[in-house]
Amino acid sequence: YRMYAIPSKSQPAVLPIHPSSERGNVPVHIEVRNYTSRRIDVFWIDYKGNEKKKGSMQPHVGQWTQTTYIGHPWTFRTGDGEENVVLKYVPFRVIPSIGGMETLRDAEGIQRFAIHDVPEDNVSRVDGQSPACVVEDLVLPEPPLLHMFDYADPLRRALSLIEMNQAILWSTHQIRREDAIYHGKGIATAHMLLKLLQNICLHPGEPKYRRLRISNRRISETIYNTGGRGVLLALGFEEAYGNLECGGQVLSYDRIKHFSEAMLLVQDALRLMEGGDSNSNSIQPTGADGFGRANFGYAGGMNL
């Protein structure tokens, strides 16, 4: 739905798309808060790839709002030069609205996030580098940072129990978003997930129940290309040789408990979807169906 590129001392911020705006088709409203100790200037990247200043946010309490278009990149910086870039951001697709996670403002999609200073000695879980900022995004959260001493320990680099449950919960929100646009899709995902997780809990000593072939049509449609994959990845599944796998010969009692708790979160999402929480008749922001997303056709036109 959106991309963040956060630089570090050794790695500049680079967005993996064309570095300029395209003619917009789907509007999206942006709200950003600055909780850092620095003033941050906001620049729109125009159609020729040039920065155009659109506003500033004062330290600690600054806020910036703007209506832009899907596929329009933005740069947040504290001064001139790449060394002063704090964040690069582009809205890629309108986020469907669900109960408790509304993303609708006057028929337009809305994306909100906040920028924070990095706590002392904290580093990225991905590369061990200290990023230029921390992005707080309640709808689409960024991976949490680690203390630099914990990064050296692979066990501590793994998700904590709280972080794992948060990742599973976010993934169930994504399943509900998919059901909000394509009614029945999220329900099918939830049913398949519950079947898979139940089999794993009933057969903790049989790895075959923890090996899913991605090329299998049902797995691809209901798990791999949906929020269901996020649930499995949070539980420790990895992609290898065309499969989604969770290793180990026998699951421990604690691991079985993790899978059981995940089932409860999926069941909660299923009850909401089957109860009409996110059906195809609910009001959705323009473009929430994916039509007109960046580089994929026009609003009201089919994305192929």
Side-chain angles (χ1 to χ4, degrees):
Y1 295 110
R2 52 180 173 243
M3 299 178 188
Y4 299 116
I6 304 174
S8 63
K9 290 183 179 179
S10 61
Q11 184 68 39
V14 178
L15 287 169
I17 63 169
H18 194 270
S20 63
S21 292
E22 299 178 346
R23 294 296 171 184
N25 301 299
V26 178
V28 59
H29 187 74
I30 303 170
E31 293 183 2
V32 185
R33 293 184 180 273
N34 177 22
Y35 292 124
T36 74
S37 57
R38 302 159 288 174
R39 167 180 157 151
I40 295 178
D41 296 323
V42 185
F43 295 83
W44 171 58
I45 310 302
D46 69 12
Y47 303 107
K48 296 182 179 180
N50 300 314
E51 290 188 347
K52 302 289 185 181
K53 187 174 180 180
K54 291 294 182 178
S56 298
M57 297 183 288
Q58 296 303 312
H60 305 297
V61 295
Q63 182 175 359
W64 170 76
T65 62
Q66 177 81 38
T67 295
T68 185
Y69 290 90
I70 293 299
H72 284 211
W74 294 82
T75 298
F76 299 79
R77 56 169 65 250
T78 58
D80 296 331
E82 281 298 311
E83 68 275 12
N84 288 310
V85 172
V86 174
L87 172 71
K88 291 187 178 182
Y89 155 83
V90 60
F92 184 71
R93 177 178 168 178
V94 172
I95 306 170
S97 190
I98 59 173
M101 288 282 178
E102 287 78 14
T103 53
L104 180 68
R105 176 185 179 273
D106 298 332
E108 291 180 357
I110 186 168
Q111 298 191 3
R112 301 182 180 94
F113 61 92
I115 305 174
H116 295 261
D117 287 324
V118 177
E120 186 176 1
D121 294 331
N122 273 231
V123 297
S124 166
R125 187 184 297 269
V126 177
D127 59 10
Q129 300 292 314
S130 180
C133 71
V134 174
V135 172
E136 178 190 6
D137 186 333
L138 298 180
V139 175
L140 303 170
E142 289 287 288
L145 300 181
L146 283 176
H147 192 277
M148 60 187 302
F149 296 119
D150 291 335
Y151 180 79
D153 186 341
L155 293 177
R156 294 188 177 183
R157 280 210 306 271
L159 290 177
S160 69
L161 182 58
I162 293 176
E163 292 167 346
M164 181 182 70
N165 286 333
Q166 288 174 336
I168 293 171
L169 182 61
W170 177 85
S171 297
T172 63
H173 289 163
Q174 176 60 19
I175 292 169
R176 291 169 56 199
R177 291 187 188 99
E178 291 159 356
D179 198 77
I181 302 303
Y182 305 106
H183 186 47
K185 181 175 182 178
I187 292 174
T189 293
H191 280 298
M192 176 61 81
L193 268 177
L194 290 173
K195 179 180 179 180
L196 294 172
L197 296 176
Q198 183 181 44
N199 282 336
I200 291 171
C201 291
L202 290 175
H203 307 278
E206 299 187 40
K208 69 178 183 179
Y209 290 101
R210 289 174 268 128
R211 186 181 303 114
L212 310 176
R213 183 162 294 281
I214 297 170
S215 60
N216 179 287
R217 182 175 178 180
R218 289 191 66 196
I219 295 298
S220 176
E221 291 179 352
T222 62
I223 299 296
Y224 188 76
N225 293 314
T226 72
R229 175 167 49 150
V231 173
L232 297 183
L233 293 176
L235 286 167
F237 276 75
E238 297 179 346
E239 293 187 40
Y241 306 107
N243 296 322
L244 276 173
E245 299 180 351
C246 186
Q249 292 302 308
V250 180
L251 292 180
S252 67
Y253 171 79
D254 286 341
R255 293 291 286 131
I256 296 173
K257 185 178 179 181
H258 296 163
F259 282 89
S260 297
E261 291 173 348
M263 289 178 66
L264 294 177
L265 293 175
V266 175
Q267 286 171 343
D268 287 343
L270 180 59
R271 279 194 292 269
L272 289 171
M273 290 185 290
E274 291 183 332
D277 159 75
S278 51
N279 57 59
S280 58
N281 295 320
S282 60
I283 299 175
Q284 292 293 332
T286 302
D289 53 7
F291 297 160
R293 70 183 186 270
N295 300 320
F296 287 87
Y298 303 91
M302 180 62 71
N303 293 318
L304 300 175

